[in-house]
Amino acid sequence: MNYKIKPNFFSIVVFFIVGGALVNQFDFETLKLQKPALAIVYTLVLIISFGFMIKKSKK
């Protein structure tokens, strides 16, 4: 069986939007997050969208 990694367009869009929001939450001067609870949610969504992005197809 050959597996192909077929990226999902919706997951790629979500990945870049949430990743950008996570970077905006980070304060580089103090090296802290502005809202840590929201950053945890962003990180979970980022991991899930990355998982869907590299989903394998059996074709």
Side-chain angles (χ1 to χ4, degrees), residues 10-55:
F10 179 73
S11 297
I12 293 171
V13 171
V14 169
F15 182 79
F16 283 115
I17 290 173
V18 174
L22 188 60
V23 169
N24 286 338
Q25 287 285 321
F26 189 71
D27 186 13
F28 288 100
E29 292 178 2
T30 60
L31 300 176
K32 292 185 180 178
L33 293 166
Q34 294 173 0
K35 298 177 183 175
L38 188 59
I40 292 171
V41 173
Y42 284 162
T43 305
L44 289 175
V45 171
L46 198 67
I47 292 169
I48 291 169
S49 71
F50 184 73
F52 283 128
M53 189 170 56
I54 61 168
K55 182 175 68 170

